[in-house]
Amino acid sequence: MKKKNTLAKKMMIALVLGLICGIGCIFLRENLIQNGQSDLWSSINSWLFADISAEGNEQALGIFYIVGQLFVRALQVIIIPMVFTSITLAMIKINDARKLSRISSKTIGTFLLTSVVALAIASIVGIIAFDAGVFGSFDATGLEAGNGSTGSNPLMILINAIPLNIVSAFSNNSGVLAVVILAVATGLAINALKGKIEILPKLCEEISSIVTVSLGYIVNTFGPIAIFALITRTFASYGIDFLKPAMMYVIITTVLLLLYLTFGYAFFVSILAKINPIPFIKKISKVALFGFSTSSSAATLPLNLKTTTEEIGVHEEIASFVLPLGMTINMDGTAIMQVIATIFVASCGGYEITLPSVILIAILALVASIGTPAAPGAGAIVLFTILSGTGFTNEMAMMAYTLILAINRPIEMLVTSLNCIGDSAAAVIVSNSEGMFDEEVYNSDACNSTEEIKANA
């Protein structure tokens, strides 16, 4: 009964220690460089933090990088089978077509509501910051203009939702939306055949069981260690050189994300689900920490699904549909970051920001965020799609975009937390509206699971 609380405490301790060690490494790095000992820091970075997959790091050791990547990859390898089996089984279990239609419409409606509110707040704050001139200009010395990625029409997400073939859909973690569509279609087809298909549902159940056991082992055994390594490396790898000229972008985006994370979803849960949001905030906090550490919604999905069903009280039938779908299309944090980042880039590029341009930015951010892969660093890359759509692409704008690519990792860690909590909040709202929400589990101690409460009853 104490395992969940113990894991949450271990994760919190790992996060705090990672922050302390990471900040300590920043000071050590700056001190060594200022004292002419940059070679020593290069050696330390090579031993502990270097990305061994990057060009020029063929001889690097990168211990912290290896630990973090092994953990993230161990989680990502189960994403596709988990998403496919959970959604397929959810579709099979829903025998009422009208009920499925209600759940789908409520889910998408909730996603749109939270996203529109997030975009509206980000747009208002962005306009105020632009008019106040807080973004100003920055020193582009040492930065090379670059596109970073090739822009594409955001509506391509609609085409890519239908894969060219099944093999390609199941071999690409960045195309999870295609797996969601395949899972929904497969589950509905099996449902319509009324028991004629027996092997595939059983296979999905067995794969789901394997995924659950694997997840528990990976998270409980290696989670805290990996979180410490990921947090320490993130802060140690990025000095303050690139942070200074974009400090206002970092501050504004961070404050907005924290406010929406802390109060926004609590407001939606209390108003739309009509329940006390305090238990939700307490129980979902470890998911936020996990998302912050891994910077990947896909890697956080297994823990989010487990926490939302076993501790928060959302029916598995609802959570198995809402959370994987939310991981692919519900990106409130990404949308907020992209709005502020676009206005920052426009300001640096000398462009004028007006109400119509902000509305265009918000619309593009909404559509582009839907197609953002649930993986680290994806948000900053997709940002180029918005810059292309708005025309903010002169040389200084590209310099500012390059700067964002350099400093955005800590922000994207917070963005991931927001995206994951938004999915769980939507699941609570939809589950409650369908009468499939267990308030006894929700109001119970965080250490008690659904099974334990039923056993005690």
Side-chain angles (χ1 to χ4, degrees), residues 119 123 127 339 353-366 390:
L119 287 168
S123 298
I127 291 176
V339 168
I353 295 295
T354 61
L355 182 59
S357 63
V358 169
I359 293 175
L360 175 60
I361 291 170
I363 293 173
L364 289 175
L366 177 63
T390 53

Side-chain angles (χ1 to χ4, degrees), residues 62-100:
I63 296 174
F64 280 60
Y65 175 82
I66 292 175
V67 172
Q69 286 302 304
L70 287 175
F71 179 71
V72 171
R73 286 181 177 230
L75 290 173
Q76 289 180 333
V77 76
I78 65 175
I79 294 304
I80 296 299
M82 185 188 66
V83 169
F84 182 80
T85 56
S86 63
I87 293 182
T88 299
L89 291 172
M91 295 299 100
I92 293 173
K93 293 174 183 177
I94 299 177
N95 295 319
D96 189 346
R98 287 178 296 179
K99 180 180 179 181
L100 175 59

Side-chain angles (χ1 to χ4, degrees), residues 397-416:
M398 289 298 96
M399 290 284 190
Y401 172 64
T402 304
L403 178 63
I404 288 177
L405 292 179
I407 67 172
N408 217 50
R409 178 58 190 266
I411 291 177
E412 289 206 342
M413 295 166 72
L414 188 55
V415 163
T416 304

Side-chain angles (χ1 to χ4, degrees), residues 33-324:
I33 293 176
Q34 289 178 3
N35 292 327
Q37 296 179 294
S38 57
D39 290 341
L40 177 57
W41 171 254
S42 297
S43 298
I44 295 174
N45 183 67
S46 177
W47 297 333
L48 299 179
F49 310 118
D51 178 355
I52 62 174
S53 66
E55 184 178 355
N57 289 337
E58 291 81 2
Q59 304 300 320
L61 192 57
I63 296 174
F64 280 60
Y65 175 82
I66 292 175
V67 172
Q69 286 302 304
L70 287 175
F71 179 71
V72 171
R73 286 181 177 230
L75 290 173
Q76 289 180 333
V77 76
I78 65 175
I79 294 304
I80 296 299
M82 185 188 66
V83 169
F84 182 80
T85 56
S86 63
I87 293 182
T88 299
L89 291 172
M91 295 299 100
I92 293 173
K93 293 174 183 177
I94 299 177
N95 295 319
D96 189 346
R98 287 178 296 179
K99 180 180 179 181
L100 175 59
S101 177
R102 286 200 315 271
I103 292 174
S104 300
S105 60
K106 288 177 181 178
T107 299
I108 295 175
T110 304
F111 289 162
L112 284 175
L113 175 62
T114 58
S115 295
V116 168
V117 172
L119 287 168
I121 294 174
S123 298
I124 293 171
V125 172
I127 291 176
I128 294 174
F130 179 84
D131 290 341
V134 297
F135 290 138
S137 59
F138 68 95
D139 183 9
T141 304
L143 291 176
E144 295 181 1
N147 293 343
S149 177
T150 301
S152 62
N153 193 318
L155 294 178
M156 280 298 296
I157 185 63
L158 299 176
I159 296 177
N160 293 332
I162 306 298
L164 292 174
N165 58 72
I166 293 178
V167 175
S168 65
F170 282 88
S171 62
N172 183 12
N173 273 6
S174 64
V176 179
L177 183 57
V179 177
V180 171
I181 299 299
L182 285 174
V184 170
T186 302
L188 291 177
I190 295 174
N191 199 326
L193 290 170
K194 305 295 182 185
K196 294 181 180 180
I197 306 297
E198 298 179 357
I199 296 178
L200 186 55
K202 181 65 174 176
L203 179 61
C204 287
E205 290 177 357
E206 292 178 351
I207 293 175
S208 180
S209 298
I210 294 173
V211 166
T212 301
V213 173
S214 301
L215 167 66
Y217 181 77
I218 293 169
V219 172
N220 293 327
T221 306
F222 302 107
I225 297 173
I227 286 174
F228 171 76
L230 287 164
I231 295 294
T232 302
R233 179 184 178 272
T234 295
F235 281 83
S237 298
Y238 296 93
I240 60 175
D241 292 340
F242 286 122
L243 191 61
K244 290 178 181 177
M247 185 63 71
M248 291 310 300
Y249 159 72
V250 173
I251 292 174
I252 291 174
T253 306
T254 301
V255 170
L256 265 183
L257 292 172
L258 285 174
L259 288 176
Y260 205 77
L261 176 66
T262 307
F263 301 105
Y265 293 118
F267 174 79
F268 287 122
V269 167
S270 62
I271 297 300
L272 299 180
K274 296 180 174 61
I275 57 176
N276 180 6
I278 301 300
F280 174 78
I281 295 172
K282 288 181 178 179
K283 295 181 178 183
I284 205 67
S285 59
K286 65 172 169 289
V287 176
L289 291 176
F290 198 85
F292 181 81
S293 303
T294 61
S295 191
S296 171
S297 297
T300 310
L301 177 60
L303 180 63
N304 199 4
L305 187 61
K306 187 178 180 67
T307 302
T308 302
T309 54
E310 294 185 5
E311 298 183 41
I312 296 179
V314 174
H315 196 284
E316 187 177 355
E317 187 176 297
I318 301 294
S320 296
F321 175 75
V322 175
L323 295 184

